[in-house]
Structure formats: structure tokens, C-alpha cells
């Protein structure tokens, strides 16, 4: 069956129209790059090959201030936080000092000489050397206000120095507290001597706190009486005076027991608290009913 038979069956005209012409591709003229062979240019396809320009191009020069460079000098400095007078040197920007007028000569023909003393700067990190205020006392104040049968003056001084060294961080103070009582002075008749060596006492953390707060509160009232204290100072004085080492030890023991509870003990305690609330609510309800009667 030919195409004419198909056209007869479909009642189509025998004469077919002309086919549409194909669109022709419009190609732009390729740039003729000098210095390249034809085969190399054809490798680029429609995209032309980029070539680095032969003339170098540099960035524009930035605008720089025409001020002269800063001058630096090596200057000595000390650190006021140190006990020794160690002097170090560091670089500092030089400060331009206007020139002074030359001294005029006197009648005797001698010129006045000006002595320039070089000032030593303090270190910028000396301000971070913050120390706690530890109460200070002398022998008379200790005998009048701070004397205690359980503490000697030497051990009290050792406690204050240890608290100053560790910035009142009491766990560290108690850990590093190793006071050794001074033995009695040796004599010629050492064999016949009946002097007793002071007994070494073990101090707990609460004992150290109690002694320190007692000394601090008493010396605070010595330097400023209670009636002249401000509200903040009076509250601090009352807090230190009312420190109870026994109550502090019980509080820590209760906290340790609460932290070491098991899950079963915790659930049992919660159930007991719920039952206690029920009993209290029931007793309140019974009291209200009795009032109505």
C-alpha cells in the first residue's frame, strides 16, 4: 500500500504542500587570533580561547598617609606587685617633648645645669594583683581581745598567713594547713629538763573558719565600733560573730547524706511526704468540721 492509497481512504488531496525549509544556523565570524594555529583555534569550539594579555597591568597604588613613622624607644619598668626591685625593659612609643629653652648664663659665667631623672613606669598588669584584706593585730591587741586557750598566738599568726596566701579559699587553706608548734628552747641540762613539747592538734575546716571569723569580727569592732558601722558592715560583723562550727558540720553531713541517697530511698521519701500532706489536709478538714459543730 502506497501513500496515495492512504490518501484515497482518508479523502485527502493527492497534491502535498511543499516541505518547510530548515532553519539555517547563524554562525558568527570567529575572531582571528594571531599567534595560534588553526587546529588549536578549532579546539575551542564556539567559545574562543582566552589569551593572557602581553601588557602587564598592576593594581592602583593605595592612598598612604604622608605622616612620618612612629618612633619607639626601650624604656625600663617595674612591677609594684613584686617584693623585689627587679627592673625590666619593653618597647614604648616615644612621646615627642617640645624642646626646652636653653638656660641663660648668670653673672658668674656659669650655666645652670638641669638634671633629668628618668622615670620608671609601673607594669600595666600590677592592677590585677588583688589581695584579700586579712585582719592585722599587735601583741597588745592580741592579749586584750584575741586571747584563746585553744589557740596560741603563733598558730593564729600561721592561720592568718595561710589565709592570705590562698585568698581565703578554705578548701585550699585546710589542705595546706600544716602547723608545727615550736619546741622549747634547749638548755644545758637537757636531761634534767621537764619542759613539755606542745601537743599537735588536728584542726578541721570548721575550726579554722571559727577562729578566723572570731578574730576578724573582734578586730572589726576594734577599728570601728558597732554603733558607727554602716548597714553592710554591721551585717558582715553579725554574720562572722554568729558562726557556729557545730551547726556547719551538721549541715555538711546532712548535704552528704542527701547526695548519697539511692533511688529507692528517694522514692520512699517522696511517698512519705505525700502521705504527710494527706494527713495534714485530713486534720485541717476535721478541725473545720468540729468548728461547725
Amino acid at each position: 500500500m502506497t501513500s496515495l492509497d492512504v490518501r484515497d481512504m482518508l479523502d485527502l488531496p493527492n497534491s502535498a504542500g511543499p516541505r518547510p525549509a530548515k532553519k539555517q544556523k547563524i554562525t558568527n565570524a570567529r575572531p582571528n587570533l594571531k599567534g595560534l594555529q588553526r587546529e588549536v583555534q578549532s579546539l575551542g569550539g564556539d567559545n574562543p580561547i582566552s589569551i593572557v594579555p602581553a601588557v602587564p597591568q598592576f593594581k592602583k597604588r593605595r592612598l598612604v598617609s604622608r605622616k612620618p613613622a612612629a618612633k619607639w624607644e626601650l624604656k625600663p619598668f617595674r612591677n609594684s606587685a613584686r617584693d623585689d626591685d627587679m627592673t625590666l625593659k619593653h618597647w614604648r612609643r616615644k612621646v615627642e617633648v617640645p624642646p626646652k629653652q636653653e638656660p641663660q648664663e648668670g653673672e658668674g659665667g656659669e650655666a645652670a645645669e638641669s638634671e633629668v631623672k628618668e622615670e620608671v613606669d609601673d607594669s600595666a598588669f600590677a592592677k590585677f594583683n588583688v589581695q584579700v584584706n586579712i585582719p592585722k593585730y599587735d601583741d597588745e591587741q592580741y592579749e586584750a581581745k584575741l586571747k584563746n586557750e585553744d589557740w596560741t598566738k603563733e598558730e593564729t599568726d600561721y592561720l592568718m598567713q595561710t589565709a592570705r596566701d590562698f585568698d581565703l579559699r578554705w578548701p585550699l587553706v585546710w589542705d595546706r594547713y600544716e602547723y608545727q608548734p615550736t619546741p622549747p628552747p634547749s638548755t644545758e641540762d637537757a636531761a634534767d629538763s621537764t619542759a613539755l613539747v606542745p601537743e599537735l592538734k588536728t584542726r578541721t575546716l570548721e575550726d579554722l573558719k571559727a577562729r578566723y571569723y572570731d578574730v576578724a569580727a573582734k578586730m572589726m569592732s576594734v577599728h570601728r565600733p558597732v554603733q558607727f558601722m554602716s548597714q553592710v558592715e554591721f551585717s558582715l560583723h553579725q554574720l562572722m560573730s554568729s558562726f557556729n562550727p557545730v551547726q556547719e558540720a551538721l549541715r555538711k553531713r546532712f548535704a552528704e547524706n542527701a547526695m548519697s541517697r539511692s533511688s529507692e530511698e528517694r522514692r520512699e521519701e517522696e511517698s512519705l511526704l505525700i502521705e504527710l500532706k494527706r494527713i495534714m489536709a485530713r486534720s485541717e478538714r476535721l478541725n473545720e468540721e468540729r468548728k461547725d459543730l
Side-chain angles (χ1 to χ4, degrees):
M1 182 181 292
T2 61
S3 61
L4 295 176
D5 297 335
V6 175
R7 288 179 179 278
D8 291 339
M9 293 172 62
L10 297 176
D11 295 334
L12 294 176
N14 294 331
S15 61
R19 294 182 179 180
K22 294 182 179 180
K23 294 182 179 180
Q24 296 181 357
K25 294 182 179 180
I26 301 173
T27 58
N28 297 327
R30 294 183 179 180
N32 187 11
L33 300 177
K34 296 181 180 180
L36 292 178
Q37 296 182 1
R38 186 183 303 172
E39 291 80 3
V40 178
Q41 293 185 12
S42 62
L43 292 176
D46 297 336
N47 300 324
I49 299 175
S50 60
I51 299 177
V52 179
V55 180
Q57 295 180 359
F58 300 99
K59 293 182 179 179
K60 294 182 179 180
R61 187 175 182 181
R62 296 182 180 178
L63 298 177
V64 184
S65 61
R66 297 181 179 179
K67 295 181 180 179
K71 296 181 180 180
W72 296 77
E73 59 180 347
L74 195 62
K75 297 186 64 177
F77 74 96
R78 292 194 184 98
N79 193 340
S80 59
R82 298 178 61 93
D83 297 333
D84 53 356
D85 294 335
M86 186 180 67
T87 304
L88 301 175
K89 292 184 179 181
H90 58 177
W91 289 99
R92 285 291 185 183
R93 191 185 294 271
K94 187 176 182 180
V95 180
E96 297 293 339
V97 181
K100 297 182 180 180
Q101 297 180 358
E102 296 181 357
Q104 298 178 359
E105 296 183 358
E107 296 178 355
E110 296 179 356
E113 297 180 358
S114 60
E115 297 180 357
V116 179
K117 296 182 179 179
E118 186 178 6
E119 297 181 357
V120 180
D121 298 335
D122 193 9
S123 175
F125 298 96
K127 60 183 178 181
F128 298 107
N129 184 35
V130 181
Q131 296 181 355
V132 294
N133 295 324
I134 303 298
K136 298 179 180 180
Y137 49 86
D138 52 12
D139 296 339
E140 296 179 358
Q141 292 175 346
Y142 183 86
E143 292 293 333
K145 299 287 184 180
L146 308 177
K147 196 171 182 180
N148 193 336
E149 296 179 356
D150 197 24
W151 288 78
T152 61
K153 185 178 183 302
E154 290 77 12
E155 189 174 2
T156 305
D157 296 342
Y158 179 79
L159 173 62
M160 296 300 163
Q161 184 62 35
T162 310
R164 182 183 293 105
D165 293 340
F166 296 101
D167 297 333
L168 288 179
R169 289 174 285 186
W170 289 110
L172 290 178
V173 173
W174 176 74
D175 183 64
R176 303 299 176 89
Y177 191 84
E178 298 176 354
Y179 174 71
Q180 298 292 336
T182 56
S186 59
T187 58
E188 295 179 357
D189 301 335
D192 299 336
S193 178
T194 58
L196 298 177
V197 179
E199 182 183 359
L200 180 62
K201 297 181 180 180
T202 57
R203 303 291 186 182
T204 61
L205 180 59
E206 289 75 19
D207 295 338
L208 301 181
K209 284 185 177 181
R211 179 57 175 167
Y212 177 83
Y213 291 147
D214 182 43
V215 173
K218 289 180 179 178
M219 293 308 300
M220 189 176 181
S221 61
V222 167
H223 292 297
R224 179 172 293 184
V226 180
Q227 59 270 20
F228 297 109
M229 290 183 182
S230 61
Q231 185 177 1
V232 178
E233 293 175 347
F234 181 75
S235 60
L236 179 61
H237 180 268
Q238 290 295 110
L239 184 64
M240 291 189 298
S241 301
S242 60
F243 179 77
N244 189 359
V246 179
Q247 184 179 359
E248 181 70 12
L250 292 176
R251 184 190 66 82
K252 289 184 178 180
R253 193 178 306 165
F254 178 77
E256 290 177 0
N257 294 334
M259 293 296 294
S260 60
R261 290 180 303 171
S262 61
S263 58
E264 296 179 357
E265 294 176 350
R266 201 173 304 160
R267 285 194 295 268
E268 183 180 358
E269 184 178 355
E270 291 177 357
S271 62
L272 290 176
L273 289 175
I274 294 173
E275 187 66 24
L276 179 61
K277 290 181 180 179
R278 290 178 182 175
I279 294 173
M280 295 296 294
R282 190 179 303 169
S283 63
E284 290 179 0
R285 194 183 311 116
L286 290 175
N287 292 332
E288 291 178 358
E289 291 177 357
R290 289 175 182 175
K291 289 180 181 179
D292 295 338
L293 295 176

